């Protein structure tokens, strides 16, 4: 039975950064890419806020760069999906990871960087304009809608935060809340209501995202009187929550009620020895490529330290 030093699950900024650091530390990491190689960034057109790309870069190219850099130092990148994990509770024991329901990998350390998935409404028209006006990240894509009108969907803290962020850039922001109240904290709601160019439409739901090549309007319905209307807007932002991709770790790793993995403060250390978590799978707050990359680095350093303690 071959036992590897370090297995990384996930191929977003956290996973590839962990691979760069782990391979440079001679841990010969194997990285399992998962269903969406490159992660959430591969659905983003332009990334302009990642340091080191002064002209900006597309999400897919940036992730290809991350991958090449990890491979340059000897990381083994494998196309496949981890379908089961049997994590050891004893320090020094190996963890068993099953890929695509068949291949078994035995590893001393596991770095989890499985990310999170933004929730979407599930409309066909929403899918059609993904990356051409539809986005689930105001910080990533808001800039492209400077001085334009946009619609944000959601009533939680994310929606409040994204809507107020966009209001600083855009001419007008409409916030569609499906109930007659917002779930967001009082302080966030106050910010929303204190913003002049932000209009909250309670009891409104989205019927269709409309446009030609890019979004130009949103058909919405007032659920109180069933009246439909069209809002002219070039951006449509979803802020209805994220789901961390951590289901396979349930009952083994500590997670919060939503499923975000819990790590010890200022580290990537989970409740099990030799298992580390990084990126959006354990971060419900920042959720940026740069913070994910930083935590991937932390996870590789924590794994290296754990292995040297075993030696
Ligand atoms: P939440 O789950 O808190 O809120 C999701 C919102 O989306 C709810 O208002 C919900 O409506 C709405 N929604 C869900 N599905 C649909 C749908 N199909 N159509 C229309 N609306 C829908 O998610 P958040 O991402 O806002 O927040 C997640 C966590 O992160 C929270 O704990 C939050 O406090 C925290 N957070 C904190 C921030 C901060 O403090 N700065 C910033 C961002 C997040 P309904 O209310 O009707 O169910």
């Amino acid at each position: 039975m071959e036992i590897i030093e370090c297995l990384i699950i996930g191929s977003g900024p956290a996973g590839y950064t962990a691979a760069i650091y782990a391979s440079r530390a001679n841990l010969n990491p194997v990285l399992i890419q998962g269903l969406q190689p490159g992660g959430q960034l591969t659905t983003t057109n332009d990334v302009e806020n990642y340091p080191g790309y002064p002209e900006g870069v597309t999400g897919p190219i940036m992730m290809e760069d991350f991958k090449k850099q990890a491979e340059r130092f000897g990381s083994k990148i494998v196309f496949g999906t981890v379908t089961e994990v049997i994590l050891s509770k004893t320090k020094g024991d190996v963890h068993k990871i099953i890929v695509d329901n068949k291949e078994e990998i035995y590893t001393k350390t596991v770095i989890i960087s499985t990310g999170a998935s933004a929730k979407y409404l599930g409309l066909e028209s929403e899918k059609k304009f993904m990356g051409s006006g539809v986005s689930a990240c105001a910080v990533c894509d808001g800039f492209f809608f400077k001085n334009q009108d946009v619609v944000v969907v959601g009533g939680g803290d994310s929606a409040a935060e994204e809507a107020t962020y966009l209001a600083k850039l855009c001419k007008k922001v409409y916030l569609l809340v499906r109930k007659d109240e917002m779930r967001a904290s009082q302080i966030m709601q106050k910010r929303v209501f204190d913003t002049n160019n932000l209009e909250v439409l309670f009891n409104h739901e989205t019927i269709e995202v409309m446009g030609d090549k890019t979004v130009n309007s949103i058909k919405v319905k007032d659920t109180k009187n069933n009246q439909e209307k069209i809002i002219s807007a070039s951006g449509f932002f979803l802020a209805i929550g994220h789901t961390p991709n951590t289901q396979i770790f349930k009952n083994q790793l500590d997670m919060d009620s939503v499923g975000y993995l819990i790590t010890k403060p200022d580290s990537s250390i989970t409740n099990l020895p030799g298992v580390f978590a990084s990126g959006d799978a354990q971060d419900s707050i920042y959720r940026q490529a740069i913070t994910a990359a930083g935590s991937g680095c932390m996870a590789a350093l924590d794994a290296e330290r754990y292995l040297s303690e075993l030696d």
Side-chain angles (χ1 to χ4, degrees):
M1 179 173 92
E2 189 201 353
I3 299 171
I4 63 169
E5 299 286 302
C6 178
L7 182 92
I8 300 166
I9 312 175
S11 57
Y16 282 137
T17 305
I20 292 166
Y21 275 77
S23 49
R24 284 172 58 79
N26 281 338
L27 303 187
N28 302 314
V30 174
L31 180 150
I32 312 294
Q33 284 183 307
L35 274 181
Q36 187 182 32
Q40 290 181 80
L41 271 180
T42 54
T43 60
T44 305
N45 273 345
D46 292 288
V47 181
E48 293 187 333
N49 55 4
Y50 199 93
Y53 292 98
E55 306 303 325
V57 61
T58 70
I61 288 180
M62 186 167 108
M63 293 325 296
E64 210 33 53
D65 284 348
F66 271 59
K67 178 170 175 263
K68 280 187 211 150
Q69 195 169 348
E71 284 175 324
R72 182 178 153 213
F73 299 110
S75 300
K76 186 176 167 200
I77 314 288
V78 176
F79 180 69
T81 303
V82 172
T83 43
E84 195 186 345
V85 295
I86 298 135
L87 302 173
S88 156
K89 293 189 180 75
T90 313
K91 190 170 178 179
D93 273 5
V94 291
H95 307 283
K96 180 173 162 183
I97 308 294
I98 298 167
V99 181
D100 294 331
N101 292 312
K102 48 180 199 288
E103 195 195 343
E104 294 178 358
I105 299 179
Y106 295 89
T107 180
K108 291 182 193 167
T109 63
V110 180
I111 294 179
I112 298 166
S113 23
T114 45
S117 306
K119 289 185 192 160
Y120 287 89
L121 297 174
L123 301 170
E124 268 309 309
S125 56
E126 176 192 51
K127 230 185 260 167
K128 180 177 161 195
F129 292 109
M130 203 77 83
S132 311
V134 172
S135 167
C137 179
V139 178
C140 320
D141 298 324
F143 186 76
F144 305 111
F145 301 92
K146 213 171 177 180
N147 300 323
Q148 299 170 39
D149 293 352
V150 298
V151 167
V152 178
V153 184
D157 280 332
S158 292
E161 194 169 70
E162 304 242 321
T164 45
Y165 176 85
L166 287 165
K168 289 186 198 130
L169 300 168
C170 302
K171 198 158 86 198
K172 170 108 194 203
V173 177
Y174 298 90
L175 179 59
L176 302 187
V177 179
R178 67 178 172 182
K179 288 188 188 147
D180 57 3
E181 60 180 5
M182 289 181 73
R183 190 194 294 191
S185 54
Q186 289 305 318
I187 187 163
M188 300 292 272
Q189 288 195 41
K190 184 172 180 331
R191 267 180 222 161
V192 166
F193 295 119
D194 285 349
T195 305
N196 286 332
N197 60 338
L198 202 172
E199 184 178 341
V200 183
L201 301 173
F202 287 107
N203 303 303
H204 273 70
E205 60 184 40
T206 312
I207 304 294
E208 192 186 347
V209 182
M210 303 194 303
D212 183 13
K213 286 203 171 89
T214 58
V215 172
N216 61 28
S217 53
I218 314 297
K219 190 193 275 185
V220 300
K221 184 167 90 176
D222 183 336
T223 52
K224 278 248 150 134
N225 56 23
N226 277 334
Q227 281 204 344
E228 293 185 0
K229 69 175 171 191
I230 289 174
I231 299 174
S232 167
S234 50
F236 183 72
F237 287 84
L238 283 310
I240 59 173
H242 282 76
T243 311
N245 304 320
T246 56
Q247 294 81 348
I248 52 168
F249 308 109
K250 241 183 187 151
N251 302 323
Q252 298 189 67
L253 291 179
D254 289 347
M255 47 183 84
D256 69 11
S257 58
V258 180
Y260 286 99
L261 296 173
I262 295 172
T263 49
K264 277 196 187 147
D266 301 324
S267 83
S268 67
I269 296 169
T270 69
N271 57 303
L272 292 183
V275 182
F276 307 92
S278 60
D280 287 13
Q282 53 83 54
D283 171 19
S284 63
I285 299 169
Y286 300 104
R287 297 196 296 244
Q288 298 301 300
I290 185 72
T291 49
S295 71
C297 159
M298 287 165 64
L301 296 178
D302 286 340
E304 188 192 354
R305 199 161 299 151
Y306 169 84
L307 288 166
S308 45
E309 274 173 21
L310 289 185
D311 289 344

